[in-house]
Amino acid sequence: METKILGRSRGWLDSAKALIEAGEVVAFHTETVYGLGANAFSDEAVLKVFALKGRPADNPLIAHVHKDYDITPLIDGEPPYAAALRKAFLPGPLTMVYPSTGKVSKYVSCGLNTLAIRVPSSPTAQAFLKAVDLPIVAPSANLSKHVSPVTARHVYDDFNGKIPLILDGGACSGGIESTVLDCTGEIPQILREGLVTQAMIAEVAGECNVYRPRTGEKPKSPGMAYRHYAPRCKTAYFMAEELEEAIACYKNEAKTGAPCFLCESAVCALLKGFRTLDLGGTPEEMARRLYALLRKGEQQATLLIGIEPREKGGVMAGVMNRMKRAFGVEHGTEER
Ligand code: TXA
Ligand code: MG
């Protein structure tokens, strides 16, 4: 199968709509990462997404809709805080988990009685979702466990010849996946940290918790159980205070291979003469650059050495979660 990459051009949405209606999978730009989209009402199309990614069958998918899509038939009511959060943050990088009415394919939620819904703000995503006017399941458009894609080229690298179309909206401005928020309880609870932070949600909803599974407990958001975002090269990870050890590790690898550091700008400045990939200086910059640099690192280095950013606060919770899991430092409670 030929994989086309189409930007905004005549007929681009007609092709996407025809493919989705035929049960095919279409990748598309969002403001967070690229998604691998399929009709949420079709068992066959949803199963195709799992098969393409090699995704574990117990990791549920998010249904994406355009901003005017009426979600009331899909969800079994919502608490008042959820309506306020929708108003404050949608369209945008916030996924909300509701009690499900079971109208979409049973494979979307993998046996959970909830449904995750997201309204992306990317104009490309909005145009595509409006054209199809269906809920579209869309996991990040990477092979399972690989680094999430933030350009059409990244999607192409993982799925060339396997999907018919990628809707190119340029590089993703957000860079890490949406915040996943459980809206089924009295207090909203973050299941996956992202660009909409705990503080931002608490300001609107009054309160907001972050879910942390206890050791041995099956996590509420099954995706958090897996090692993720892994670059395909060796990795090592150090704290900023361990720079000397990190340099020794670099020098050792340099005898036979090609090491490279991945670190924030301030630390890059201390590593003159070494190969570095610069994450940037602000939390937003680090979120935007992380995945592209992990993909660059795996292509250029035999060993990628991550140095933990000192920067904390804001979206750093989300960035750190991704970075640690990419480097295998933390990957949930269960290993597969
Ligand atoms: O930014 C994003 O959310 C991107 C773009 C493409 O929209 N999508 C994305 O999807 O990151 P995915 O499949 O890679 O991650 C979805 C996460 C997983 O951790 C999954 O376990 C969780 O959302 N999830 C989905 N449905 C859920 C549900 N009903 N209850 C709890 N967690 C759910
Ligand atoms: Mg993913």
Side-chain angles (χ1 to χ4, degrees), residues 35-36 39-40 103 128 156 241 246 260 285 304 315 328:
L36 201 57
N39 180 357
K103 293 277 193 308
F128 165 59
Y156 189 83
E241 301 73 46
C260 184
E285 235 167 26
L304 191 59
V315 301

Side-chain angles (χ1 to χ4, degrees), residues 30 32-35 53 55 59-62 64 95 97 109 112 114-116 118 138-140 177-178 180 191-192 220-224:
T30 86
T32 57
V33 301
Y34 276 74
K53 276 189 67 112
R55 183 176 176 104
N59 190 5
L61 300 175
I62 299 170
H64 296 61
T95 294
V97 176
S109 292
L112 299 174
T114 53
L115 176 65
R118 163 155 149 71
S140 50
E177 298 85 348
S178 63
V180 177
L191 304 179
R192 177 177 72 184
K220 272 200 199 174
S221 197
M224 302 313 276

Side-chain angles (χ1 to χ4, degrees), residues 249-271:
C249 173
Y250 182 105
K251 285 183 171 160
N252 189 48
E253 177 70 12
K255 289 178 199 156
T256 53
C260 184
F261 288 111
L262 178 69
C263 48
E264 63 190 320
S265 302
V267 176
C268 281
L270 303 173
L271 292 170

Side-chain angles (χ1 to χ4, degrees), residues 11-265:
W12 71 316
L13 296 176
D14 297 337
S15 326
K17 184 170 158 50
L19 286 164
I20 290 292
E21 285 171 355
E24 279 301 333
V25 170
V26 171
F28 61 100
H29 174 272
T30 86
E31 71 278 17
T32 57
V33 301
Y34 276 74
L36 201 57
N39 180 357
F41 289 127
S42 160
D43 287 349
E44 214 178 309
V46 172
L47 288 175
K48 214 178 257 183
V49 169
F50 279 92
L52 276 166
K53 276 189 67 112
R55 183 176 176 104
D58 64 351
N59 190 5
L61 300 175
I62 299 170
H64 296 61
V65 295
H66 65 75
K67 64 180 172 34
D68 302 316
Y69 192 87
D70 180 14
I71 60 166
T72 46
L74 304 182
I75 64 168
D76 194 5
E78 67 174 346
Y81 68 74
L85 290 170
R86 275 198 288 124
K87 224 171 146 195
F89 297 114
L90 302 190
L94 176 67
T95 294
M96 300 172 69
V97 176
Y98 296 102
S100 175
T101 52
K103 293 277 193 308
V104 296
S105 162
K106 61 178 181 292
Y107 297 110
V108 174
S109 292
C110 306
L112 299 174
N113 55 9
T114 53
L115 176 65
I117 297 186
R118 163 155 149 71
V119 186
S121 64
S122 141
T124 302
Q126 279 294 323
F128 165 59
L129 293 167
K130 192 100 198 177
V132 297
D133 202 26
L134 286 167
I136 295 291
V137 289
S140 50
N142 52 279
L143 291 168
S144 191
K145 299 195 179 75
H146 194 210
V147 181
S148 298
V150 290
T151 64
R153 180 71 214 193
H154 293 156
V155 181
Y156 189 83
D157 288 344
D158 280 14
F159 293 107
N160 178 25
K162 303 211 174 76
I163 59 172
L165 178 61
I166 302 168
L167 296 178
D168 188 354
C172 302
S173 57
I176 59 172
E177 298 85 348
S178 63
T179 304
V180 177
L181 187 70
D182 183 348
C183 297
T184 62
E186 250 165 60
I187 297 169
Q189 190 178 41
I190 293 179
L191 304 179
R192 177 177 72 184
E193 291 173 296
L195 297 164
V196 177
T197 64
Q198 181 181 18
M200 288 160 74
I201 294 167
E203 202 174 305
V204 174
E207 275 178 283
C208 175
N209 298 326
V210 180
Y211 175 72
R212 306 211 188 277
R214 283 187 292 267
T215 315
E217 185 186 359
K218 192 174 162 61
K220 272 200 199 174
S221 197
M224 302 313 276
Y226 307 110
R227 178 163 183 199
H228 249 154
Y229 324 120
R232 292 175 176 149
C233 59
K234 289 179 289 178
T235 57
Y237 192 77
F238 294 92
M239 305 304 289
E241 301 73 46
E242 298 171 324
L243 212 51
E244 267 176 46
E245 288 94 319
I247 289 172
C249 173
Y250 182 105
K251 285 183 171 160
N252 189 48
E253 177 70 12
K255 289 178 199 156
T256 53
C260 184
F261 288 111
L262 178 69
C263 48
E264 63 190 320
S265 302

